[in-house]
Structure formats: C-alpha cells, structure tokens
C-alpha cells in the first residue's frame, strides 16, 4: 500500500472510529490495528495524524471492552517505535493505564495496559515518570491480588520499571517484597517465579529491599526449595538472593546448614548449572564453610557433606 493510500485509510478509519455505531468503530480500529502491527512507517503516519493519539486514548476509556482493548492495542503498536515512546508518555495517559492494570478491569485489558507500560518504560527517561505517577504502587497491588493470565505482563512491567534504582525504593515501600514472595509461593509457573526472583534480586541491591527480605519467615528454606526445581533461571535467582542474605548475616548461612541436602544441591548446581549458577554455587559454598567454621571451629562437617 502506498503512503498516500495509507494516509487515506488512516483518515477514514479515524473518522469511523468516532461513529456512534460500535460495529463501525470496531471495524475502523481493527483496520488501524492491522496496518500498525508490523510497519514502523505506518505507526509514524498514524501518530502524525492530527489528534490521532488523543482520540485513541479517549476510545481506550470506552464502556465497550472490545473498543477499549482495540484502542490500547493500537497504542501498544505505536509504542514499539522507539521515537514515539516519549511522546506517548504523559501523566494523564499513565494515570489511565494505572487504573486499567487493576481489578475490576478484564484480564485482556490488564494484559495490554501492563504491556503498554512495559513498552513505554523501555525508554530509560520514562522510568522515573512512571515511578512518580504511581505505576509501581498500582503494579504491586495488582501482583498481590489473585493469580490470573495477566500476571506475566504485570511482572514484566514491574521488572522493567525497577531497573531504575529510585523505583526500587518505591516498590519496597509499597509492599513489593511480600507481594513477590506470594507469587513465588502460590504459582506453579516457572516463568512467573523466575521473573519474581529477578525483581527481588534488583530490590535486594539496596538496604531497604534486603531488610524487607530478611523479615520474610522461612526465606532461606523457600530459596533452598527453589534450588530443587527444574528452572535454571529460578535457581540463579534463588542463589543470588541467598548470597545477599549470607552477606548480610551468617545466621542465614547457618539456617541453610541445617538443611541436610543443601550441600548436595550446591554440588549439583556447580556441575550441571549454567556458568552463572556454577559461580554462585562456589561462592555459596565458601560462605557456608565460613559460617560452619565460626560455629564449630573447623570445616570438617561441611567438607564431608561436600
């Protein structure tokens, strides 16, 4: 389709999207969704059309779930163009997206809203804006709720936002650590567990996050249990958190020493794990030996287990 023809299609579709007929609106939005799905040029053409983004944002507030979902999907497509991420990010838009990631919004709406937040937050200068506008609190609240098909999208958005150190503090103070622990304890999905662990690892880089982790009952046993799993990324995430806990207090290392199979798990990780996991296993063993020496005066017990 030529550029001229595309402009004409966009103009007609945007006009039809303002129709009083839901069917006409849906057809128009489906056309816009189709032409912006794979073409960066078409996304730019749509964004350059007068009041296109403004109208799409208004349509995303429609009482019709289909109209709402289609509008958000088009905005998500636009956000895939790096040069459009900043222009799509303003406080009104963020407040609206924050409301959509929370119940009672339908699962599909929550998925797309969270994905749009994640996409826009990939521009580093946008991360702080989302933090100031309350997106961290909204996502933590959503993650703390009942499990649903939107969970992966919510966690991915939170993971992107906490790449900015200032957002880590907001996440911790919003109850992010217990919410993420809840995800780990309640889900059978290794993908969700791995993402939750990666976020916890980022939060634990700072004193407030590490302090919040220390307050979790049975945190060491929970991480040890994850070392028994099949997901290598989850094992890496659990090992990283154990390293931080052991650095914070030898008491956590002694808790791990009481688990008879812990040294076996570390030995297995040091042989069959990824390069990162093997390195982590070696570091954990050194810390365990140090904790055992301080407790018993020598390394004999630990060495025998190893």
């Amino acid at each position: 389709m030529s550029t001229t023809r595309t402009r004409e299609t966009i103009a007609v579709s945007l006009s039809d999207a303002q129709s009083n007929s839901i069917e006409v609106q849906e057809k128009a939005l489906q056309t816009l969704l189709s032409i912006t799905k794979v073409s960066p040029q078409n996304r730019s053409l749509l964004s350059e059309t007068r009041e296109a983004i403004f109208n799409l944002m208004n349509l995303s507030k429609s009482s019709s779930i289909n109209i709402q979902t289609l509008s958000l999907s088009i905005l998500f497509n636009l956000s895939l163009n790096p040069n459009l991420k900043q222009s799509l990010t303003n406080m009104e838009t963020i407040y609206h997206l924050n409301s959509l990631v929370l119940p009672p919004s339908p699962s599909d709406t929550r998925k797309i809203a969270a994905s749009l937040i994640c996409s826009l937050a990939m521009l580093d200068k946008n991360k702080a804006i989302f933090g100031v506008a309350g997106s961290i609190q909204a996502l933590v609240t959503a993650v703390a709720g009942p499990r649903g098909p939107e969970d992966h999208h919510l966690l991915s958005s939170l993971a992107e936002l906490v790449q900015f150190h200032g957002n880590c503090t907001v996440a911790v103070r919003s109850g992010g650590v217990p919410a993420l622990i809840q995800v780990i304890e309640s889900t059978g999905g290794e993908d969700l567990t791995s993402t939750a662990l990666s976020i916890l690892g980022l939060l634990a880089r700072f004193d407030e996050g590490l302090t919040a982790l220390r307050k979790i009952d049975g945190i060491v046993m929970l991480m040890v249990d994850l070392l028994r799993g099949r997901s290598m990324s989850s094992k890496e995430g659990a090992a990283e958190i154990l390293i931080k806990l052991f650095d914070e207090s030898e008491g956590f290392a002694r808790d791990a020493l009481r688990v008879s199979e812990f040294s076996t798990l570390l030995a297995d990780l040091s042989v069959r794990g990824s390069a990162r996991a093997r390195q982590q296993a070696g570091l954990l063993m050194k810390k365990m030996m140090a904790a055992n020496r301080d407790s018993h005066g020598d390394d004999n017990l630990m060495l025998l287990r190893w």
Side-chain angles (χ1 to χ4, degrees):
M1 187 183 295
S2 67
T3 299
T4 301
R5 179 70 182 276
T6 301
R7 289 186 187 277
E8 291 174 353
T9 300
I10 288 173
V12 171
S13 296
L14 285 172
S15 176
D16 287 348
Q18 303 303 312
S19 169
N20 292 326
S21 167
I22 294 295
E23 291 183 358
V24 173
Q25 285 184 312
E26 287 182 358
K27 184 177 180 180
L29 292 173
Q30 285 167 352
T31 298
L32 292 174
L33 181 62
S34 177
I35 66 175
T36 58
K37 189 172 184 179
V38 296
S39 171
Q41 180 183 10
N42 288 352
R43 295 170 195 149
S44 294
L45 290 174
L46 175 57
S47 70
E48 293 164 3
T49 304
R50 183 179 178 183
E51 296 191 337
I53 294 176
F54 175 80
N55 289 335
L56 287 169
M57 188 54 63
N58 280 340
L59 288 167
S60 73
K61 301 173 184 177
S62 170
S63 58
S64 165
I65 299 303
N66 285 343
I67 297 299
Q68 186 181 74
T69 301
L70 285 167
S71 302
L72 287 170
S73 297
I74 296 166
L75 289 168
F76 173 76
N77 285 352
L78 295 183
S79 76
L80 298 177
N81 277 23
N83 64 311
L84 296 179
K85 291 184 187 294
Q86 188 169 6
S87 61
L88 285 167
T89 304
N90 58 70
M91 298 302 275
E92 183 179 355
T93 297
I94 296 174
Y95 291 147
H96 180 49
L97 293 176
N98 291 349
S99 69
L100 293 179
V101 299
L102 294 167
S105 295
S107 179
D108 284 346
T109 299
R110 298 176 73 189
K111 283 182 186 179
I112 299 170
S115 296
L116 182 50
I117 290 174
C118 185
S119 178
L120 294 174
M122 288 180 181
L123 181 66
D124 285 343
K125 64 177 62 177
N126 282 347
K127 287 180 172 63
I129 300 173
F130 278 100
V132 170
S135 296
I136 302 292
Q137 293 93 327
L139 288 168
V140 168
T141 299
V143 166
R147 302 277 66 83
E150 67 279 357
D151 288 344
H152 170 73
H153 304 266
L154 297 169
L155 286 170
S156 295
S157 296
L158 187 57
E160 186 63 41
L161 286 172
V162 297
Q163 299 290 330
F164 174 62
H165 65 86
N167 288 342
C168 287
T169 300
V170 178
V172 172
R173 293 179 181 178
S174 302
V177 170
L180 292 165
I181 292 295
Q182 180 182 322
V183 171
I184 293 170
E185 291 178 330
S186 65
T187 181
E190 293 180 348
D191 185 42
L192 292 182
T193 297
S194 175
T195 305
L197 284 167
S198 69
I199 299 171
L200 285 174
L202 291 171
L203 301 185
R205 294 177 301 172
F206 306 98
D207 288 343
E208 281 192 64
L210 191 54
T211 298
L213 268 175
R214 292 182 60 185
K215 293 178 180 178
I216 301 296
D217 290 338
I219 183 63
V220 171
M221 284 302 303
L222 178 59
M223 295 302 112
V224 172
D225 283 342
L226 291 171
L227 295 181
R228 299 186 179 102
R230 293 179 298 176
S231 169
M232 187 54 61
S233 59
S234 291
K235 290 180 181 182
E236 291 175 354
E240 186 65 28
I241 289 172
L242 285 172
I243 290 169
K244 287 182 168 65
L245 290 171
F246 290 4
D247 284 340
E248 179 71 9
S249 170
E250 284 191 354
F252 290 111
R254 287 192 288 271
D255 286 344
L257 271 170
R258 298 186 184 99
V259 182
S260 59
E261 63 178 311
F262 184 54
S263 56
T264 303
L265 291 170
L266 290 183
D268 182 71
L269 199 59
S270 70
V271 174
R272 301 182 185 182
S274 62
R276 181 188 178 204
R278 293 196 299 272
Q279 183 180 32
Q280 291 171 321
L283 187 55
L284 283 169
M285 184 54 66
K286 289 179 181 179
K287 295 180 183 298
M288 294 287 285
M289 287 181 173
N292 188 60
R293 182 173 56 247
D294 291 344
S295 297
H296 301 96
D298 58 55
D299 295 330
N300 292 340
L301 179 60
M302 197 64 201
L303 288 170
L304 284 172
R305 288 179 178 174
W306 179 259

